[in-house]
Amino acid sequence: MMQSFLRSPFSTLITFITGMVVLLGYFIDVDPLNVLRSRFLQWTVLLAAVALMLGVFNLMRVHWKRLKESSIKAIYSFAFFGGFLLALAVGGLLGVQHSLTRAVIDFVIIPIETSLFVVILVSLVYALTRLLQSRLSAFSFVFLVTVVFSIIGSIPLLGIEIPFLQGGDGILSLMTRVLGTAGVRGLLIGVALGSVLTGIRVLLGLDRPYGE
Amino acid sequence: MEAQRCPMCGQANPPHLEVCQYCQARLKPLWVEPSEGSGSAVEDGIARSKAPLEPDEPLVPEWLRTDRMQIDEGASFNAEELGQEEPLFPEEPLDTDDFLGGMFSDEPLGDQGEDVPEWLRSLREDSAAAERPLQSAKSADQDLPIPFWLDFDEGAAEEVPPQSPSAIEKVPPFKEQPFEDIDIDSAIFPSEQEAGEKLTSEEPRAVSPFETFEPFLFTEQPSQLVEDSTSEPEAAEVSSKEGKTSPPAAEGDWMSEIPPWLETLPGEEWMESETAEKEIPPEFLQGAVPPFVETDEELSEIEFPAWLDQVERSIEPELDTVIESLTPPAVERLTTMEEEKGEVPKERPEALLEEEDAVEMVGPLHGLRGVLPAEPLVAEPKKPSKALSELLLTDKQRAQAELFLRMIEEEGKPQPIPPSRRAKPHLLWRVLIFLVLFAAAAVGLVLRPFSSAPQELSVGVFDAMQAVNQLPAEAVVFLVVDIEGSDFAEMLATTNALLDQMMIKGAFFVVVSANQTGALQADRLLREVSRLNGHKVQPSSGWLNLGYLPGGVAGMQAFAQSLPQILPNTVDGEAAWQDKRLQNIRSLADFPLVIVITEDSTRARQWIEQLKGQVSEARLVFAVSAQVEPVLRPYYEANPRHIQSVLAGIRDGAIYETQSARPGWAMQLWDAYTLTALVAAGLIILGALVYFLIGLLVGRKPPVEGKTS
Amino acid sequence: MTLEFPFLDLLGGAIGVLLTLLVFSSLFGDHFLVRLIFYGYVGIMAGFSVVITFNSVIFPLLFQPILEEPIDGMVQVAIPLLLCGLLVFKVSTRFSWVGDLSLAFLVGAGLAALVGGAIRGTLMPQISAVISPFDLERSSLPPEERLPSLVQGFVILLGTVTTLTYFHFGARPRASGPLRRQEWIETLSWIGQFFIAFALGLIFAGLLKAGMVALVERVQALLNFVITLQRGF
């Protein structure tokens, strides 16, 4: 009884009230509403932080189970806990701005993330070279040409800038300013419309991502 | 002596032969011991038996009548011609009419000349004298081997009580599909033949041989119905034995006693009056259905073996649809497919293999090799089951049933998708791309400077420089640093000159990040800018790191409205807003300049949306990755603008450094970057061209609908 | 990055180079060491997230008020504390439903911010930006620049409309065939694909540019380490 009450009508009501208070604050500047809205948003920030902590806790629980299984994956979980404890010890005890914390960032995090990005770069170039083989269409061709021209247009070709290609009045600038803006603007409006519709559906209780 | 006609091919053979010289079929039955002086009797019987074949005979159907007439015409040959051993008919393939003609012709009977078989003798005697030939036959049986299809238990019919008509209806007849009743066939096959044999004339079979247990080979080839002629004597014999209830037909009138399999032929409406008697079930049902079963509910209570129930349940939903497709050609296809896969030797039981290779020993298929095993199931003598509720299966039947069920299950199982012919990732090409790009970057770093710095002042850089130039000295600047470690190099190159200029002016930075580790990157960014440009800015003196702002867009909105309430402390847990430089700042609107540094296009858009109305557009500058620039362009190109400036990528960073005459990180990487980008563009063009040509030469499969998206 | 001790600096550089090479080796295929590195990396990031989140938000908003002023602080944080307490039940499979209330609150506020921001920050400004080039009376451009601006505005209008049309999936059944959009929508959608391809091509190129800067940075780090080794030994 309590369970179903909390789930369906009460949760929907909470979502609706909270959402309306926050949403109206965008368009109506009234003090009591602003105060309430500010409170709600502050609690939201706090709840989001707690949700992140719970997420990390859940991650730890999964790895703890793996660690107890003592399989080959336990080694990976051991590495996870090693990194986790290292970060807790360095960041929590010494401080985030301590030199050892900075050393961990500089010598561990940055090399790993940057190298991963390089691997992704190679994969992207590889995929791009095979684009016309896997899907030959006018749009693929436009996509490929746009990518190549955009890269070439951002650099001087061995120290020489081609007048009509590069520069403020060049083709690339025109393409970026006009054609690129047109396409992205359509995409942005589409994304915004989708966000609005999805949000309104949830606020009105038509969709309930927070429970049944 | 007359020539003897082969019962199989109908050809005339010399009388001394025991095997047909044309088809190698046995001419003289093994179980009949020839007796002297019976030839005339046989002839008499034949002569009398011709009486029902008159055109006015109402019991014989039209097709049978024409067949007999043909045979009569053929039988009027000269006996002398037979003595010359000339074939009666030209050597042509036999057709159905020939078989039927042979069945009803006199020759086979005349061949037995010296003796009269028991069944014929019984037809000639009255009911009172019917006992004697039976006894003599029994005595003969003790001396001679009896063919298995005659070796049935005579008392079995008496042991099995008659069944209700409903029981018959519960067993679907064997109509069009040979395997339609496979789940119960294994139970009914052994006793089916016996049931057909033991039905008396008073209890005619309700189900004709065509509908019940006739093997589908026979149903497909009606010419082989001649096989049924062998069962007629037996039926007559049984009827003579049970003479109390069924008076035997008069001699010479035995054809008026229509055999059971003729009852259901077209045009036999005269049999409809005996419907009540027809409903008595054949004996094969007596082994499967207990006599007390009257209704469907009772039938459902019968306990079948567990394995059969399990199998039946598993395949029941699919059985109907699958069986409909299992026409004999379909079965042949399945078998062929299995043989092609090489699965047959593994899956088929040995008994079946032996059957397939065995030579058929009886019936019209005598001498043929590899026929379907219909005979053992039909003709094997079995005693009726004592335990009526049990399903009795021989090993052979079980093996066949299992094979069939396996075939059905195989059909129901999804076929494994053959491995895609998609080419494996071209590892070599990937590695080559990496090595070439790596080499280009290394060469660019070693050989620099060789490229010209970008000279053109873009609009975005110009606006950013203007915004920085308008800053008062020691202004408090708000920095949103939403970057990951992967993009740190590019973001450092983009913002180095911008931050350097502000540091020169003594700006104090308040830093926040909307991703978890962005606070760490923010510290590193300011530290690196300070180090690269020779500043001595430290965390507490040069910037204030508020840490992580959770909550996504809600957090941004909350933070834009009331900074101190949302993030009161620094990332190290110290009170943030106690600094006297921040005394006048309560919201984002109080900052003279807000700079959003991010490599995430979604987050950049969200910051624009949430800062709308909170921060003046003239004080909002974005320093972003090159991948974010197209997304911000519509905001920047709008009239009026929604943001003051966009600094995008290493190019704008290099321009800013060049314009401010303070080469920094961007210019350090610029030469190597330009060379790498040039090589990358070349690789893309070259690779795309090569793969395009490969695609044209090899041929391209059309994209599959549904997979292309 | 410079530590207080040159040896540690060198050691850190060596670790960075080693990690870089190991991650690069994943181009040849996944292997044990790369996985080990990634798991350790995730652990470090999770640890830092916990520290930063606790220091930045949880402690100052939830515990600090109570520590500073126990009674007033408790009153102040009562509701958020309750909400956070309910949210903790989400980790339990059995009592997860208790946390629905907090989650509903979180979703409501988050989506409202999303909707409000999208309407006020994107929809209205971008629609206005599409229209504004045709408002010649309010244009601040000199007369000789108005025609190019008008042409430009028309191209942007065409691109925006056709791109949006591409995402229109309404279709009607036809007697002669499957569901299809109307012809004029199909035509506009086809044109819109070119604009989308162009926009995505620009974004993709930006991604490649960022990756190339990352590559150059890594190569420079490797070269610097080699140079340091040469100088040191």
Side-chain angles (χ1 to χ4, degrees), chain A residues 26 37 96 102 106 113 133 135 168, chain B residues 456 485 524 527 561 572 610 700 708:
Chain A
Y26 277 96
R37 181 172 182 262
V96 173
R102 296 197 320 247
D106 288 349
E113 289 191 358
Q133 188 200 21
R135 179 187 289 271
Chain B
E456 184 197 2
R524 187 169 190 263
R527 211 174 57 236
Q561 278 195 329
D572 275 334
Q610 298 304 322
R700 186 180 298 102
T708 55

mmCIF file with all atom_site columns, all heavy atoms in Angstrom, chain A residues 26 37 96 102 106 113 133 135 168, chain B residues 456 485 524 527 561 572 610 700 708:
data_model
loop_
_atom_site.group_PDB
_atom_site.id
_atom_site.type_symbol
_atom_site.label_atom_id
_atom_site.label_alt_id
_atom_site.label_comp_id
_atom_site.label_asym_id
_atom_site.label_entity_id
_atom_site.label_seq_id
_atom_site.pdbx_PDB_ins_code
_atom_site.Cartn_x
_atom_site.Cartn_y
_atom_site.Cartn_z
_atom_site.occupancy
_atom_site.B_iso_or_equiv
_atom_site.pdbx_formal_charge
_atom_site.auth_seq_id
_atom_site.auth_comp_id
_atom_site.auth_asym_id
_atom_site.auth_atom_id
_atom_site.pdbx_PDB_model_num
ATOM 1   N N   . TYR A 1 26  ? 11.730 30.412 -14.379 1.00 0.00 ? 26  TYR A N   1
ATOM 2   C CA  . TYR A 1 26  ? 12.430 30.915 -15.569 1.00 0.00 ? 26  TYR A CA  1
ATOM 3   C C   . TYR A 1 26  ? 11.697 32.102 -16.186 1.00 0.00 ? 26  TYR A C   1
ATOM 4   O O   . TYR A 1 26  ? 12.292 32.930 -16.854 1.00 0.00 ? 26  TYR A O   1
ATOM 5   C CB  . TYR A 1 26  ? 12.545 29.803 -16.619 1.00 0.00 ? 26  TYR A CB  1
ATOM 6   C CG  . TYR A 1 26  ? 13.695 28.861 -16.399 1.00 0.00 ? 26  TYR A CG  1
ATOM 7   C CD1 . TYR A 1 26  ? 13.509 27.669 -15.731 1.00 0.00 ? 26  TYR A CD1 1
ATOM 8   C CD2 . TYR A 1 26  ? 14.970 29.176 -16.846 1.00 0.00 ? 26  TYR A CD2 1
ATOM 9   C CE1 . TYR A 1 26  ? 14.550 26.793 -15.529 1.00 0.00 ? 26  TYR A CE1 1
ATOM 10  C CE2 . TYR A 1 26  ? 16.029 28.308 -16.644 1.00 0.00 ? 26  TYR A CE2 1
ATOM 11  C CZ  . TYR A 1 26  ? 15.813 27.115 -15.985 1.00 0.00 ? 26  TYR A CZ  1
ATOM 12  O OH  . TYR A 1 26  ? 16.859 26.263 -15.786 1.00 0.00 ? 26  TYR A OH  1
ATOM 13  N N   . ARG A 1 37  ? 12.172 28.255 -5.294  1.00 0.00 ? 37  ARG A N   1
ATOM 14  C CA  . ARG A 1 37  ? 12.911 27.667 -6.423  1.00 0.00 ? 37  ARG A CA  1
ATOM 15  C C   . ARG A 1 37  ? 14.381 27.504 -6.071  1.00 0.00 ? 37  ARG A C   1
ATOM 16  O O   . ARG A 1 37  ? 14.992 26.456 -6.359  1.00 0.00 ? 37  ARG A O   1
ATOM 17  C CB  . ARG A 1 37  ? 12.757 28.590 -7.619  1.00 0.00 ? 37  ARG A CB  1
ATOM 18  C CG  . ARG A 1 37  ? 13.433 28.132 -8.890  1.00 0.00 ? 37  ARG A CG  1
ATOM 19  C CD  . ARG A 1 37  ? 13.024 29.057 -10.030 1.00 0.00 ? 37  ARG A CD  1
ATOM 20  N NE  . ARG A 1 37  ? 13.597 28.636 -11.276 1.00 0.00 ? 37  ARG A NE  1
ATOM 21  C CZ  . ARG A 1 37  ? 14.696 29.142 -11.811 1.00 0.00 ? 37  ARG A CZ  1
ATOM 22  N NH1 . ARG A 1 37  ? 15.356 30.118 -11.176 1.00 0.00 ? 37  ARG A NH1 1
ATOM 23  N NH2 . ARG A 1 37  ? 15.139 28.712 -12.953 1.00 0.00 ? 37  ARG A NH2 1
ATOM 24  N N   . VAL A 1 96  ? 43.429 18.134 -2.402  1.00 0.00 ? 96  VAL A N   1
ATOM 25  C CA  . VAL A 1 96  ? 43.359 18.034 -3.858  1.00 0.00 ? 96  VAL A CA  1
ATOM 26  C C   . VAL A 1 96  ? 44.469 18.840 -4.524  1.00 0.00 ? 96  VAL A C   1
ATOM 27  O O   . VAL A 1 96  ? 44.943 18.502 -5.604  1.00 0.00 ? 96  VAL A O   1
ATOM 28  C CB  . VAL A 1 96  ? 41.971 18.517 -4.330  1.00 0.00 ? 96  VAL A CB  1
ATOM 29  C CG1 . VAL A 1 96  ? 41.890 18.589 -5.842  1.00 0.00 ? 96  VAL A CG1 1
ATOM 30  C CG2 . VAL A 1 96  ? 40.884 17.612 -3.777  1.00 0.00 ? 96  VAL A CG2 1
ATOM 31  N N   . ARG A 1 102 ? 48.811 16.404 -7.482  1.00 0.00 ? 102 ARG A N   1
ATOM 32  C CA  . ARG A 1 102 ? 49.119 16.911 -8.820  1.00 0.00 ? 102 ARG A CA  1
ATOM 33  C C   . ARG A 1 102 ? 49.984 15.924 -9.583  1.00 0.00 ? 102 ARG A C   1
ATOM 34  O O   . ARG A 1 102 ? 49.848 15.770 -10.802 1.00 0.00 ? 102 ARG A O   1
ATOM 35  C CB  . ARG A 1 102 ? 49.823 18.258 -8.691  1.00 0.00 ? 102 ARG A CB  1
ATOM 36  C CG  . ARG A 1 102 ? 48.945 19.319 -8.062  1.00 0.00 ? 102 ARG A CG  1
ATOM 37  C CD  . ARG A 1 102 ? 49.441 20.729 -8.287  1.00 0.00 ? 102 ARG A CD  1
ATOM 38  N NE  . ARG A 1 102 ? 50.872 20.906 -8.201  1.00 0.00 ? 102 ARG A NE  1
ATOM 39  C CZ  . ARG A 1 102 ? 51.513 21.611 -7.253  1.00 0.00 ? 102 ARG A CZ  1
ATOM 40  N NH1 . ARG A 1 102 ? 50.817 22.162 -6.266  1.00 0.00 ? 102 ARG A NH1 1
ATOM 41  N NH2 . ARG A 1 102 ? 52.809 21.781 -7.280  1.00 0.00 ? 102 ARG A NH2 1
ATOM 42  N N   . ASP A 1 106 ? 49.262 14.458 -13.155 1.00 0.00 ? 106 ASP A N   1
ATOM 43  C CA  . ASP A 1 106 ? 50.184 14.717 -14.262 1.00 0.00 ? 106 ASP A CA  1
ATOM 44  C C   . ASP A 1 106 ? 50.774 13.434 -14.848 1.00 0.00 ? 106 ASP A C   1
ATOM 45  O O   . ASP A 1 106 ? 50.913 13.313 -16.073 1.00 0.00 ? 106 ASP A O   1
ATOM 46  C CB  . ASP A 1 106 ? 51.323 15.613 -13.785 1.00 0.00 ? 106 ASP A CB  1
ATOM 47  C CG  . ASP A 1 106 ? 50.850 17.036 -13.547 1.00 0.00 ? 106 ASP A CG  1
ATOM 48  O OD1 . ASP A 1 106 ? 49.715 17.334 -13.954 1.00 0.00 ? 106 ASP A OD1 1
ATOM 49  O OD2 . ASP A 1 106 ? 51.600 17.835 -12.958 1.00 0.00 ? 106 ASP A OD2 1
ATOM 50  N N   . GLU A 1 113 ? 44.560 9.284  -20.236 1.00 0.00 ? 113 GLU A N   1
ATOM 51  C CA  . GLU A 1 113 ? 43.444 9.864  -20.995 1.00 0.00 ? 113 GLU A CA  1
ATOM 52  C C   . GLU A 1 113 ? 43.888 10.382 -22.354 1.00 0.00 ? 113 GLU A C   1
ATOM 53  O O   . GLU A 1 113 ? 43.204 10.185 -23.370 1.00 0.00 ? 113 GLU A O   1
ATOM 54  C CB  . GLU A 1 113 ? 42.793 10.984 -20.178 1.00 0.00 ? 113 GLU A CB  1
ATOM 55  C CG  . GLU A 1 113 ? 42.019 10.466 -18.973 1.00 0.00 ? 113 GLU A CG  1
ATOM 56  C CD  . GLU A 1 113 ? 41.158 11.532 -18.326 1.00 0.00 ? 113 GLU A CD  1
ATOM 57  O OE1 . GLU A 1 113 ? 41.201 12.682 -18.794 1.00 0.00 ? 113 GLU A OE1 1
ATOM 58  O OE2 . GLU A 1 113 ? 40.459 11.219 -17.362 1.00 0.00 ? 113 GLU A OE2 1
ATOM 59  N N   . GLN A 1 133 ? 33.753 3.018  -48.757 1.00 0.00 ? 133 GLN A N   1
ATOM 60  C CA  . GLN A 1 133 ? 33.631 1.603  -49.102 1.00 0.00 ? 133 GLN A CA  1
ATOM 61  C C   . GLN A 1 133 ? 32.397 0.980  -48.465 1.00 0.00 ? 133 GLN A C   1
ATOM 62  O O   . GLN A 1 133 ? 31.694 0.198  -49.088 1.00 0.00 ? 133 GLN A O   1
ATOM 63  C CB  . GLN A 1 133 ? 34.879 0.842  -48.654 1.00 0.00 ? 133 GLN A CB  1
ATOM 64  C CG  . GLN A 1 133 ? 34.888 -0.593 -49.163 1.00 0.00 ? 133 GLN A CG  1
ATOM 65  C CD  . GLN A 1 133 ? 35.810 -1.482 -48.373 1.00 0.00 ? 133 GLN A CD  1
ATOM 66  O OE1 . GLN A 1 133 ? 36.167 -1.182 -47.242 1.00 0.00 ? 133 GLN A OE1 1
ATOM 67  N NE2 . GLN A 1 133 ? 36.199 -2.600 -48.956 1.00 0.00 ? 133 GLN A NE2 1
ATOM 68  N N   . ARG A 1 135 ? 29.730 2.661  -47.184 1.00 0.00 ? 135 ARG A N   1
ATOM 69  C CA  . ARG A 1 135 ? 28.465 3.335  -47.517 1.00 0.00 ? 135 ARG A CA  1
ATOM 70  C C   . ARG A 1 135 ? 28.744 4.439  -48.529 1.00 0.00 ? 135 ARG A C   1
ATOM 71  O O   . ARG A 1 135 ? 29.212 5.522  -48.174 1.00 0.00 ? 135 ARG A O   1
ATOM 72  C CB  . ARG A 1 135 ? 27.850 3.920  -46.242 1.00 0.00 ? 135 ARG A CB  1
ATOM 73  C CG  . ARG A 1 135 ? 26.548 4.664  -46.489 1.00 0.00 ? 135 ARG A CG  1
ATOM 74  C CD  . ARG A 1 135 ? 26.115 5.331  -45.225 1.00 0.00 ? 135 ARG A CD  1
ATOM 75  N NE  . ARG A 1 135 ? 25.673 4.353  -44.269 1.00 0.00 ? 135 ARG A NE  1
ATOM 76  C CZ  . ARG A 1 135 ? 24.412 3.918  -44.184 1.00 0.00 ? 135 ARG A CZ  1
ATOM 77  N NH1 . ARG A 1 135 ? 23.520 4.402  -44.986 1.00 0.00 ? 135 ARG A NH1 1
ATOM 78  N NH2 . ARG A 1 135 ? 24.072 3.037  -43.287 1.00 0.00 ? 135 ARG A NH2 1
ATOM 79  N N   . GLY A 1 168 ? 39.176 34.760 -43.917 1.00 0.00 ? 168 GLY A N   1
ATOM 80  C CA  . GLY A 1 168 ? 37.828 35.146 -43.533 1.00 0.00 ? 168 GLY A CA  1
ATOM 81  C C   . GLY A 1 168 ? 36.835 35.132 -44.666 1.00 0.00 ? 168 GLY A C   1
ATOM 82  O O   . GLY A 1 168 ? 35.660 34.827 -44.470 1.00 0.00 ? 168 GLY A O   1
ATOM 83  N N   . GLU B 2 456 ? 45.982 35.721 -39.615 1.00 0.00 ? 456 GLU B N   1
ATOM 84  C CA  . GLU B 2 456 ? 44.677 36.372 -39.714 1.00 0.00 ? 456 GLU B CA  1
ATOM 85  C C   . GLU B 2 456 ? 44.006 36.443 -38.356 1.00 0.00 ? 456 GLU B C   1
ATOM 86  O O   . GLU B 2 456 ? 43.945 35.452 -37.615 1.00 0.00 ? 456 GLU B O   1
ATOM 87  C CB  . GLU B 2 456 ? 43.789 35.589 -40.669 1.00 0.00 ? 456 GLU B CB  1
ATOM 88  C CG  . GLU B 2 456 ? 42.469 36.264 -40.892 1.00 0.00 ? 456 GLU B CG  1
ATOM 89  C CD  . GLU B 2 456 ? 41.463 35.297 -41.478 1.00 0.00 ? 456 GLU B CD  1
ATOM 90  O OE1 . GLU B 2 456 ? 41.826 34.130 -41.660 1.00 0.00 ? 456 GLU B OE1 1
ATOM 91  O OE2 . GLU B 2 456 ? 40.337 35.708 -41.742 1.00 0.00 ? 456 GLU B OE2 1
ATOM 92  N N   . GLY B 2 485 ? 40.960 15.085 -19.009 1.00 0.00 ? 485 GLY B N   1
ATOM 93  C CA  . GLY B 2 485 ? 42.398 14.993 -19.227 1.00 0.00 ? 485 GLY B CA  1
ATOM 94  C C   . GLY B 2 485 ? 42.753 14.775 -20.682 1.00 0.00 ? 485 GLY B C   1
ATOM 95  O O   . GLY B 2 485 ? 43.827 15.214 -21.139 1.00 0.00 ? 485 GLY B O   1
ATOM 96  N N   . ARG B 2 524 ? 45.195 22.329 -12.683 1.00 0.00 ? 524 ARG B N   1
ATOM 97  C CA  . ARG B 2 524 ? 46.350 22.048 -13.526 1.00 0.00 ? 524 ARG B CA  1
ATOM 98  C C   . ARG B 2 524 ? 46.463 23.070 -14.657 1.00 0.00 ? 524 ARG B C   1
ATOM 99  O O   . ARG B 2 524 ? 47.571 23.497 -15.026 1.00 0.00 ? 524 ARG B O   1
ATOM 100 C CB  . ARG B 2 524 ? 46.229 20.632 -14.111 1.00 0.00 ? 524 ARG B CB  1
ATOM 101 C CG  . ARG B 2 524 ? 47.464 20.188 -14.866 1.00 0.00 ? 524 ARG B CG  1
ATOM 102 C CD  . ARG B 2 524 ? 47.399 18.710 -15.197 1.00 0.00 ? 524 ARG B CD  1
ATOM 103 N NE  . ARG B 2 524 ? 48.690 18.263 -15.699 1.00 0.00 ? 524 ARG B NE  1
ATOM 104 C CZ  . ARG B 2 524 ? 48.994 18.143 -16.985 1.00 0.00 ? 524 ARG B CZ  1
ATOM 105 N NH1 . ARG B 2 524 ? 48.102 18.464 -17.904 1.00 0.00 ? 524 ARG B NH1 1
ATOM 106 N NH2 . ARG B 2 524 ? 50.185 17.715 -17.358 1.00 0.00 ? 524 ARG B NH2 1
ATOM 107 N N   . ARG B 2 527 ? 47.774 26.334 -13.333 1.00 0.00 ? 527 ARG B N   1
ATOM 108 C CA  . ARG B 2 527 ? 49.165 26.127 -12.928 1.00 0.00 ? 527 ARG B CA  1
ATOM 109 C C   . ARG B 2 527 ? 50.085 26.092 -14.138 1.00 0.00 ? 527 ARG B C   1
ATOM 110 O O   . ARG B 2 527 ? 51.173 26.682 -14.140 1.00 0.00 ? 527 ARG B O   1
ATOM 111 C CB  . ARG B 2 527 ? 49.222 24.812 -12.155 1.00 0.00 ? 527 ARG B CB  1
ATOM 112 C CG  . ARG B 2 527 ? 50.270 24.758 -11.082 1.00 0.00 ? 527 ARG B CG  1
ATOM 113 C CD  . ARG B 2 527 ? 50.159 23.480 -10.287 1.00 0.00 ? 527 ARG B CD  1
ATOM 114 N NE  . ARG B 2 527 ? 50.242 22.285 -11.086 1.00 0.00 ? 527 ARG B NE  1
ATOM 115 C CZ  . ARG B 2 527 ? 49.315 21.327 -11.101 1.00 0.00 ? 527 ARG B CZ  1
ATOM 116 N NH1 . ARG B 2 527 ? 48.230 21.445 -10.361 1.00 0.00 ? 527 ARG B NH1 1
ATOM 117 N NH2 . ARG B 2 527 ? 49.461 20.263 -11.850 1.00 0.00 ? 527 ARG B NH2 1
ATOM 118 N N   . GLN B 2 561 ? 22.218 31.460 -9.884  1.00 0.00 ? 561 GLN B N   1
ATOM 119 C CA  . GLN B 2 561 ? 21.382 32.317 -9.045  1.00 0.00 ? 561 GLN B CA  1
ATOM 120 C C   . GLN B 2 561 ? 22.067 32.684 -7.732  1.00 0.00 ? 561 GLN B C   1
ATOM 121 O O   . GLN B 2 561 ? 22.057 33.850 -7.324  1.00 0.00 ? 561 GLN B O   1
ATOM 122 C CB  . GLN B 2 561 ? 20.055 31.611 -8.743  1.00 0.00 ? 561 GLN B CB  1
ATOM 123 C CG  . GLN B 2 561 ? 19.044 31.754 -9.868  1.00 0.00 ? 561 GLN B CG  1
ATOM 124 C CD  . GLN B 2 561 ? 17.665 31.369 -9.410  1.00 0.00 ? 561 GLN B CD  1
ATOM 125 O OE1 . GLN B 2 561 ? 17.507 30.512 -8.543  1.00 0.00 ? 561 GLN B OE1 1
ATOM 126 N NE2 . GLN B 2 561 ? 16.656 32.001 -9.979  1.00 0.00 ? 561 GLN B NE2 1
ATOM 127 N N   . ASP B 2 572 ? 39.200 22.048 -1.338  1.00 0.00 ? 572 ASP B N   1
ATOM 128 C CA  . ASP B 2 572 ? 39.915 21.454 -0.211  1.00 0.00 ? 572 ASP B CA  1
ATOM 129 C C   . ASP B 2 572 ? 39.164 21.620 1.100   1.00 0.00 ? 572 ASP B C   1
ATOM 130 O O   . ASP B 2 572 ? 39.703 21.351 2.176   1.00 0.00 ? 572 ASP B O   1
ATOM 131 C CB  . ASP B 2 572 ? 41.311 22.071 -0.094  1.00 0.00 ? 572 ASP B CB  1
ATOM 132 C CG  . ASP B 2 572 ? 42.297 21.356 -0.994  1.00 0.00 ? 572 ASP B CG  1
ATOM 133 O OD1 . ASP B 2 572 ? 42.058 20.157 -1.280  1.00 0.00 ? 572 ASP B OD1 1
ATOM 134 O OD2 . ASP B 2 572 ? 43.287 21.974 -1.430  1.00 0.00 ? 572 ASP B OD2 1
ATOM 135 N N   . GLN B 2 610 ? 21.593 27.972 -19.476 1.00 0.00 ? 610 GLN B N   1
ATOM 136 C CA  . GLN B 2 610 ? 21.353 28.285 -18.066 1.00 0.00 ? 610 GLN B CA  1
ATOM 137 C C   . GLN B 2 610 ? 21.889 29.664 -17.671 1.00 0.00 ? 610 GLN B C   1
ATOM 138 O O   . GLN B 2 610 ? 21.414 30.258 -16.707 1.00 0.00 ? 610 GLN B O   1
ATOM 139 C CB  . GLN B 2 610 ? 21.991 27.207 -17.174 1.00 0.00 ? 610 GLN B CB  1
ATOM 140 C CG  . GLN B 2 610 ? 21.423 25.820 -17.387 1.00 0.00 ? 610 GLN B CG  1
ATOM 141 C CD  . GLN B 2 610 ? 19.915 25.777 -17.206 1.00 0.00 ? 610 GLN B CD  1
ATOM 142 O OE1 . GLN B 2 610 ? 19.368 26.447 -16.334 1.00 0.00 ? 610 GLN B OE1 1
ATOM 143 N NE2 . GLN B 2 610 ? 19.230 24.989 -18.044 1.00 0.00 ? 610 GLN B NE2 1
ATOM 144 N N   . ARG B 2 700 ? 30.171 -4.380 -53.962 1.00 0.00 ? 700 ARG B N   1
ATOM 145 C CA  . ARG B 2 700 ? 29.633 -4.005 -52.661 1.00 0.00 ? 700 ARG B CA  1
ATOM 146 C C   . ARG B 2 700 ? 28.279 -4.642 -52.469 1.00 0.00 ? 700 ARG B C   1
ATOM 147 O O   . ARG B 2 700 ? 27.435 -4.624 -53.370 1.00 0.00 ? 700 ARG B O   1
ATOM 148 C CB  . ARG B 2 700 ? 29.504 -2.500 -52.580 1.00 0.00 ? 700 ARG B CB  1
ATOM 149 C CG  . ARG B 2 700 ? 29.088 -1.970 -51.245 1.00 0.00 ? 700 ARG B CG  1
ATOM 150 C CD  . ARG B 2 700 ? 29.002 -0.472 -51.280 1.00 0.00 ? 700 ARG B CD  1
ATOM 151 N NE  . ARG B 2 700 ? 30.282 0.141  -51.571 1.00 0.00 ? 700 ARG B NE  1
ATOM 152 C CZ  . ARG B 2 700 ? 30.624 0.627  -52.739 1.00 0.00 ? 700 ARG B CZ  1
ATOM 153 N NH1 . ARG B 2 700 ? 29.791 0.542  -53.738 1.00 0.00 ? 700 ARG B NH1 1
ATOM 154 N NH2 . ARG B 2 700 ? 31.795 1.176  -52.924 1.00 0.00 ? 700 ARG B NH2 1
ATOM 155 N N   . THR B 2 708 ? 21.256 -0.755 -41.507 1.00 0.00 ? 708 THR B N   1
ATOM 156 C CA  . THR B 2 708 ? 22.034 0.380  -41.962 1.00 0.00 ? 708 THR B CA  1
ATOM 157 C C   . THR B 2 708 ? 21.991 1.542  -40.987 1.00 0.00 ? 708 THR B C   1
ATOM 158 O O   . THR B 2 708 ? 22.889 2.352  -40.952 1.00 0.00 ? 708 THR B O   1
ATOM 159 C CB  . THR B 2 708 ? 21.512 0.865  -43.313 1.00 0.00 ? 708 THR B CB  1
ATOM 160 O OG1 . THR B 2 708 ? 20.118 1.125  -43.173 1.00 0.00 ? 708 THR B OG1 1
ATOM 161 C CG2 . THR B 2 708 ? 21.743 -0.186 -44.365 1.00 0.00 ? 708 THR B CG2 1
#
